[in-house]
Amino acid sequence: MTAVGTTPAGAASASNLDWHAIHWPTITAEVRRLQLRIAKAFREGKHNKVKALQWILTHSFSAKLLAVKRVTQNQGGKTPGIDGVVWDTPKKKIQAALSLRPQGYQAKPLRRIYISKKQKGKLRPLSIPVMKCRGQQALHLLALEPVAEMVADKNAYGFRPLRSTADAIGQCFILFARKDATQYILEADIKDCFNSISQSWLQDNVTIDKEMLKKWFAAGYIEKGQWNPTEIGTAQGVLCKALHKVVCVALC
């Protein structure tokens, strides 16, 4: 089964698709092809073409299927947002992919909970979006990834596709195995990184759908039944936050 295309013309037949029959290598290859074109256009400084290709990708049914797959296979894929909805059946996943349209989309507030930090007795906030917002974020993340990869430091390993802790350890070995290598490693942490990132800076500098970004920032969060605005930073738990950090660190 090939699930490609940028229009809803095949929506009726697509609704009858079998989630388990989807040929994922074909889907991934289609999305990867568009991502490579985005990266090439960005490298050549063709920013209008980058935006055009990102539009094509975020309207591609293949990308929507892959976004839903990412969301539902994520560790928190069975944790609902404020609406209690989860995409836990094949039929719901197909319907979810069909629903990922910009028309009429409104971001809903995130559900705020607190989880334990490594330090005993300390908690950190975690904001959980509804599934539809997670799907939209995962979809636009696919369009942002090739740009982030073009600007990210070659030795940055966090929040990067196809990179892991093992890669970072391997690079450290290469650098420190020499006899004349330094004997020290500086470990640092950016205090309240996600909570302090400037939303206006992200709006001006991150190559992503600006209207979508505005909606996610304006959604706020629900804590103890009370709505609260997110006036600065990006909420912990939001899928796009990681790529925001990669781009922010690279461009600052």
Side-chain angles (χ1 to χ4, degrees):
M1 190 285 297
T2 303
V4 295
T6 59
T7 69
S13 59
S15 63
N16 296 319
L17 292 175
D18 180 357
W19 180 263
H20 295 302
I22 294 173
H23 189 252
W24 290 109
T26 300
I27 300 300
T28 303
E30 172 68 13
V31 174
R32 177 64 174 166
R33 182 182 65 82
L34 282 169
Q35 288 181 318
L36 288 172
R37 291 180 65 191
I38 292 170
K40 182 175 183 290
F42 186 85
R43 183 173 63 248
E44 295 173 350
K46 299 176 180 178
H47 298 295
N48 288 334
K49 187 174 183 179
V50 169
K51 292 180 180 179
L53 289 169
Q54 286 182 320
W55 187 95
I56 292 173
L57 190 150
T58 55
H59 287 71
S60 161
F61 190 50
S62 290
K64 293 176 181 181
L65 287 171
L66 194 58
V68 171
K69 185 171 185 280
R70 280 191 173 189
V71 168
T72 54
Q73 286 188 344
N74 186 276
Q75 188 175 3
K78 295 181 180 179
T79 304
I82 61 169
D83 59 1
V85 173
V86 291
W87 297 336
D88 54 359
T89 68
K91 185 175 181 180
K92 287 181 181 178
K93 293 173 184 178
I94 293 294
Q95 292 300 325
L98 290 168
S99 74
L100 293 181
R101 299 186 297 270
Q103 297 86 354
Y105 168 71
Q106 290 296 328
K108 291 186 177 182
L110 295 84
R111 180 164 69 92
R112 173 64 62 88
I113 63 173
Y114 288 85
I115 60 175
S116 299
K117 296 183 71 172
K118 291 181 180 179
Q119 300 92 333
K120 290 184 178 180
K122 291 190 177 182
L123 300 174
R124 68 178 178 91
L126 182 68
S127 300
I128 304 172
V130 299
M131 296 299 288
K132 193 163 187 176
C133 288
R134 273 180 263 182
Q136 287 283 8
Q137 291 165 14
L139 180 61
H140 286 79
L141 185 60
L142 290 170
L144 179 59
E145 277 180 347
V147 174
E149 285 299 296
M150 293 300 298
V151 300
D153 187 281
K154 66 179 182 179
N155 287 319
Y157 298 93
F159 309 116
R160 302 280 297 279
L162 304 180
R163 293 197 175 201
S164 66
T165 304
D167 296 312
I169 293 172
Q171 181 63 18
C172 286
F173 178 81
I174 292 172
L175 293 174
F176 302 124
R178 303 191 310 269
K179 290 182 178 180
D180 60 344
T182 181
Q183 300 298 307
Y184 302 96
I185 298 175
L186 173 63
E187 181 181 5
D189 186 23
I190 303 174
K191 184 179 180 180
D192 290 331
C193 177
F194 295 124
N195 295 331
S196 304
I197 292 176
S198 168
Q199 292 182 1
S200 60
W201 189 94
L202 289 171
Q203 285 276 7
D204 293 339
N205 292 277
V206 176
T207 309
I208 196 172
D209 188 312
K210 307 300 183 185
E211 290 303 314
M212 280 291 182
L213 208 52
K214 285 181 183 178
K215 289 178 181 181
W216 295 334
F217 287 153
Y221 63 92
I222 300 290
E223 183 177 7
K224 297 179 180 179
Q226 181 73 35
W227 181 83
N228 300 274
T230 306
E231 297 176 343
I232 60 171
T234 306
Q236 288 273 21
V238 176
L239 288 171
C240 279
K241 74 181 188 314
L243 266 294
H244 291 166
K245 182 179 178 182
V246 170
V247 176
C248 191
V249 171
L251 295 180
C252 285

